[in-house]
Amino acid sequence: MATLPGTTGPATLDPHEIARIQDEVRALARERQALILAPNYELPEIQDVADFVRDSLALSRKAAKASWS
């Protein structure tokens, strides 16, 4: 289970809820033609939906090369 950051208590999500949210994020990214970038220190559940997981410098370079239409 993932712990929600920024909470004051033990707030967790079960694996099915995590998968549902990941699917929703992927669908929104496709719909909006978005590129999802995640730093390598991010939670694994967030890295799983990212198109690229790298250090901050590599992510900034990837973002600079992304084409926006």
Side-chain angles (χ1 to χ4, degrees):
M1 292 191 184
T3 302
L4 297 174
T7 59
T8 57
T12 58
L13 298 173
D14 67 58
H16 297 292
E17 185 68 6
I18 292 170
R20 184 193 68 74
I21 293 169
Q22 288 173 327
D23 290 343
E24 185 177 341
V25 169
R26 287 185 190 106
L28 285 169
R30 276 191 306 275
E31 176 185 312
R32 298 175 185 189
Q33 298 179 334
L35 182 63
I36 301 176
L37 307 175
N40 53 17
Y41 54 80
E42 194 54 80
L43 294 172
E45 294 84 0
I46 294 175
Q47 290 183 5
D48 289 346
V49 297
D51 297 304
F52 295 95
V53 178
R54 304 282 191 280
D55 62 75
S56 298
L57 178 59
L59 291 177
S60 65
R61 288 178 175 162
K62 186 68 176 173
K65 291 180 181 179
S67 63
W68 304 99
S69 51

